């Protein structure tokens, strides 16, 4: 854990939103907000005063997640859903240094694997080496490192519960080969490292199953993208910025 933690970073994003001068924060546009919650008919709602002169865009907080530095050149593996829709991306290292990151390429979950590659310009960056995810055994100990609920550098331990979970098991991405683990994974862990007991990166924590209802916390069913798959996607994203896939044009 001590060897791996320096290469696991926290990722924060912001989005620039245009704000009109006198727009109420409770103005939901065409949504029937008041009718839904309070039963107020739309013709009795008070009209909002508008100022056609717009203010400069304001930055609002966006997503929070994790990432893994995987090369001395500053390439960082993370999940696409961590940075999706962001205008500015900041990477915070465990030693407190922060960098503005640029997106090298992304492979969205709707079309691919929900992976993205970021790049930062830094010197003497810590790197987490890849392990062989195909060599993992069910029952093998693994450790998740990330920033659940913004708590950076959190490490949790579990084991490999299953391998080869497909998209039919978890409707998150188009192409899936998930490692299932009972190491505690929560919101903010996305894009963080799943390592083996040798301190090698064998997965990228991506999703959890919560059982539905109001519960959004860990119930011991987490999923990670295998490192061997991540390496293939990373190569394409670094070289071309996108992933090209063959398509036969036939479905069954």
């Amino acid at each position: 854990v001590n060897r791996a933690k320096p290469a696991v970073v926290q990722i924060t994003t912001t989005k620039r939103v245009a704000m009109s001068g006198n727009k109420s924060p409770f103005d939901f546009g065409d949504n029937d907000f008041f009718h839904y919650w309070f039963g107020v008919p739309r013709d009795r709602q008070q009209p909002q005063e508008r100022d056609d002169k717009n203010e400069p865009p304001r930055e609002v907080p966006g997503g929070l997640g994790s990432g893994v530095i995987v090369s001395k050149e500053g390439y960082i593996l993370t999940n696409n859903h961590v940075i999706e829709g962001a205008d500015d991306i900041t990477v915070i290292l465990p030693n407190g240094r922060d960098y503005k990151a640029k997106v090298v390429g992304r492979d969205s979950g709707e079309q691919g694997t929900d992976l993205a590659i970021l790049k930062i310009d830094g010197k003497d960056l810590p790197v987490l080496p890849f392990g062989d995810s195909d060599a993992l055994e069910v029952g093998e100990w693994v450790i998740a490192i990330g920033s659940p609920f913004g708590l950076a550098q959190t490490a949790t331990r579990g084991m490999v519960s299953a391998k080869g979970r497909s998209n039919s098991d978890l409707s998150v991405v188009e192409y899936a080969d998930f490692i299932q683990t009972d190491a505690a994974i929560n919101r903010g862990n996305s894009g963080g490292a799943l390592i083996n007991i040798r301190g090698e990166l064998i997965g990228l924590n991506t999703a959890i199953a919560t059982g539905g209802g109001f519960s959004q916390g860990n119930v011991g069913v987490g999923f990670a993208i295998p490192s061997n798959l991540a390496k293939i996607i990373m190569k394409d994203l670094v070289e071309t910025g996108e992933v090209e896939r063959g398509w036969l044009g036939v479905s069954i």
Side-chain angles (χ1 to χ4, degrees):
V1 170
N2 287 337
R3 287 198 305 269
K5 280 170 64 175
V8 181
V9 300
Q10 190 176 54
I11 297 174
T12 62
T13 64
T14 56
K15 186 175 180 66
R16 288 187 288 274
V17 178
M19 303 291 288
S20 60
N22 292 324
K23 186 173 181 180
S24 166
F26 298 103
D27 181 9
F28 288 83
D30 295 330
N31 294 331
D32 288 333
F33 176 82
F34 287 98
H35 176 69
Y36 182 84
W37 288 106
F38 304 113
V40 180
R42 293 192 66 84
D43 58 0
R44 289 172 52 193
Q45 296 171 21
Q46 296 296 319
Q48 298 290 334
E49 294 184 6
R50 298 294 180 94
D51 185 353
D52 292 333
K53 185 178 180 181
N54 290 333
E55 296 179 359
R58 299 178 182 176
E59 288 192 349
V60 295
L64 173 67
S66 307
V68 184
I69 303 174
V70 291
S71 79
K72 287 289 186 181
E73 291 77 23
Y75 289 111
I76 296 172
L77 263 174
T78 188
N79 285 132
N80 180 64
H81 72 258
V82 170
I83 62 167
E84 195 165 22
D87 291 311
D88 296 296
I89 303 169
T90 301
V91 171
I92 306 171
L93 271 61
N95 59 13
R97 287 187 293 174
D98 63 88
Y99 299 88
K100 293 295 182 183
K102 67 176 182 180
V103 178
V104 175
R106 60 178 75 202
D107 188 37
S108 71
E110 293 180 354
Q111 301 173 345
T113 57
D114 192 28
L115 284 171
I117 303 294
L118 306 178
K119 190 176 188 304
I120 59 175
D121 294 323
K123 297 181 179 179
D124 301 321
L125 295 172
V127 174
L128 185 56
F130 282 100
D132 183 3
S133 56
D134 290 341
L136 276 178
E137 299 281 354
V138 173
E140 183 175 338
W141 280 14
V142 288
I143 299 165
I145 306 175
S147 303
F149 309 114
L151 301 170
Q153 297 290 283
T154 295
T156 54
R157 188 193 71 181
M159 70 176 189
V160 177
S161 304
K163 293 176 61 179
R165 292 299 192 197
S166 66
N167 194 39
S168 60
D169 299 313
L170 185 70
S171 298
V172 174
V173 301
E174 183 68 21
Y175 299 97
D177 183 25
F178 285 114
I179 301 166
Q180 182 182 332
T181 176
D182 64 351
I185 297 172
N186 288 285
R187 295 180 63 184
N189 270 112
S190 291
L194 188 70
I195 64 173
N196 57 22
I197 59 174
R198 291 172 291 280
E200 299 167 332
L201 180 68
I202 47 85
L204 209 69
N205 300 318
T206 299
I208 59 174
T210 62
F214 291 101
S215 172
Q216 295 296 320
N218 172 70
V219 292
V221 184
F223 301 92
I225 298 170
S227 59
N228 288 359
L229 175 58
K231 280 196 294 185
I232 296 172
I233 300 300
M234 178 180 171
K235 182 177 182 292
D236 285 350
L237 293 179
V238 169
E239 291 180 354
T240 66
E242 61 181 0
V243 179
E244 295 183 353
R245 294 182 173 91
W247 183 55
L248 184 61
V250 174
S251 61
I252 298 175

